[in-house]
Amino acid sequence: FINLFEKYAGLYSATVIVSASYYAIYQLIELKVSNDTLMSQTKSTSDDIINRKQRESIDKTVEECKFFYDNIQPKIRDLFQLFSKVGFILTINKWEINDFTWQELNLQDKDLREKTGSLLSHQPHISSELILTLNKIEAFAISFTQGIADTEVGMKAIGHLYQTQIEEIYPLIAFLRSQTENEQDKFYNNLIELYRLWKRDQKIDNK
């Protein structure tokens, strides 16, 4: 009886080991399937978030470009009409664009600083319109420089027009920036950053 018990005990022990091994393998398979499912769900969620952010970025880009066409462009046109009425003429597209500093601009037109200062001090309504317009352009630019709107899509839609408009009012931007000596406190940094970004990218595209 004892011999028989030992014989079957060994068989039972082997069966238990095989069963335990099978159960462990089964658990590993289940764990892998569970992990694969989790990874798939995580990737799907991540893709959904990325796609949603991309859609939101494109929507914001379209919104900003429409704002530029509908609000900023007319403001710049109105400014030039006001300039014309008081005899203040900016020669469009003659400026060599540099660091938006008055020192550099002064080399191109020595009389412009005095004329600009006189205009803005004697025509407060024009000064107000100019500052309001530039503030709108700065707000527009922030959406792109801070990654809220898509710079590549924006450049294709409105980049050339934006550059042209900035170049037309370049002396006025330089004049207002010259009113603050501290570089960190100067106005319209985002406006300038976006201008340089799109100017650079356009040159790359044209090569």
Side-chain angles (χ1 to χ4, degrees), residues 11 45 138-139 175:
L11 180 62
T45 301
E138 176 74 357
F175 178 83

Side-chain angles (χ1 to χ4, degrees), residues 199-207:
K199 192 76 172 178
R200 182 201 67 195
D201 289 350
Q202 189 178 52
K203 288 180 179 178
I204 293 174
D205 287 348
N206 290 337
K207 288 183 179 180

Side-chain angles (χ1 to χ4, degrees), residues 92-166:
I92 297 175
N93 293 333
K94 85 165 191 175
W95 313 106
E96 179 184 341
I97 307 300
N98 45 58
D99 291 332
F100 290 81
T101 62
W102 194 264
Q103 290 79 2
E104 297 277 349
L105 186 61
N106 195 48
L107 297 175
Q108 302 180 54
D109 190 334
K110 293 182 179 180
D111 299 325
L112 188 57
R113 184 183 183 92
E114 182 179 347
K115 290 189 295 184
T116 304
S118 177
L119 169 73
L120 299 181
S121 62
H122 291 90
Q123 304 288 342
H125 67 291
I126 294 180
S127 178
S128 296
E129 283 298 314
L130 171 62
I131 293 172
L132 177 61
T133 300
L134 292 181
N135 287 346
K136 285 188 174 184
I137 300 175
E138 176 74 357
F140 164 83
I142 286 174
S143 293
F144 292 94
T145 59
Q146 300 304 312
I148 301 171
D150 189 294
T151 55
E152 184 177 350
V153 175
M155 187 194 74
K156 291 177 180 178
I158 207 171
H160 179 70
L161 176 61
Y162 178 83
Q163 293 169 52
T164 300
Q165 300 285 35
I166 297 303

Side-chain angles (χ1 to χ4, degrees), residues 1-181:
F1 174 76
I2 293 174
N3 289 337
L4 185 64
F5 176 78
E6 290 178 346
K7 177 181 177 181
Y8 282 101
L11 180 62
Y12 174 76
S13 177
T15 303
V16 170
I17 292 172
V18 171
S19 298
S21 299
Y22 175 79
Y23 180 75
I25 294 172
Y26 177 79
Q27 288 290 92
L28 288 174
I29 293 173
E30 284 290 305
L31 181 61
K32 182 180 183 305
V33 171
S34 177
N35 284 341
D36 288 345
T37 301
L38 180 60
M39 290 297 293
S40 177
Q41 291 173 344
T42 301
K43 184 178 184 305
S44 177
T45 301
S46 177
D47 290 344
D48 286 343
I49 292 172
I50 292 172
N51 291 334
R52 185 169 69 251
K53 286 188 174 182
Q54 288 176 339
R55 288 194 300 271
E56 290 173 353
S57 178
I58 295 299
D59 289 344
K60 182 62 175 177
T61 304
V62 172
E63 178 186 331
E64 290 296 335
C65 290
K66 186 176 186 304
F67 176 79
F68 191 91
Y69 277 117
D70 293 345
N71 293 275
I72 294 176
Q73 246 198 316
K75 278 288 184 184
I76 296 175
R77 181 198 61 216
D78 293 344
L79 268 177
F80 275 90
Q81 289 177 349
L82 289 173
F83 295 157
S84 179
K85 287 180 180 179
V86 297
F88 181 79
I89 305 299
L90 286 174
T91 304
I92 297 175
N93 293 333
K94 85 165 191 175
W95 313 106
E96 179 184 341
I97 307 300
N98 45 58
D99 291 332
F100 290 81
T101 62
W102 194 264
Q103 290 79 2
E104 297 277 349
L105 186 61
N106 195 48
L107 297 175
Q108 302 180 54
D109 190 334
K110 293 182 179 180
D111 299 325
L112 188 57
R113 184 183 183 92
E114 182 179 347
K115 290 189 295 184
T116 304
S118 177
L119 169 73
L120 299 181
S121 62
H122 291 90
Q123 304 288 342
H125 67 291
I126 294 180
S127 178
S128 296
E129 283 298 314
L130 171 62
I131 293 172
L132 177 61
T133 300
L134 292 181
N135 287 346
K136 285 188 174 184
I137 300 175
E138 176 74 357
F140 164 83
I142 286 174
S143 293
F144 292 94
T145 59
Q146 300 304 312
I148 301 171
D150 189 294
T151 55
E152 184 177 350
V153 175
M155 187 194 74
K156 291 177 180 178
I158 207 171
H160 179 70
L161 176 61
Y162 178 83
Q163 293 169 52
T164 300
Q165 300 285 35
I166 297 303
E167 289 167 2
E168 288 176 354
I169 57 176
Y170 166 65
L172 303 172
I173 299 170
F175 178 83
L176 291 176
R177 282 172 60 81
S178 71
Q179 306 306 298
T180 304
E181 293 184 4

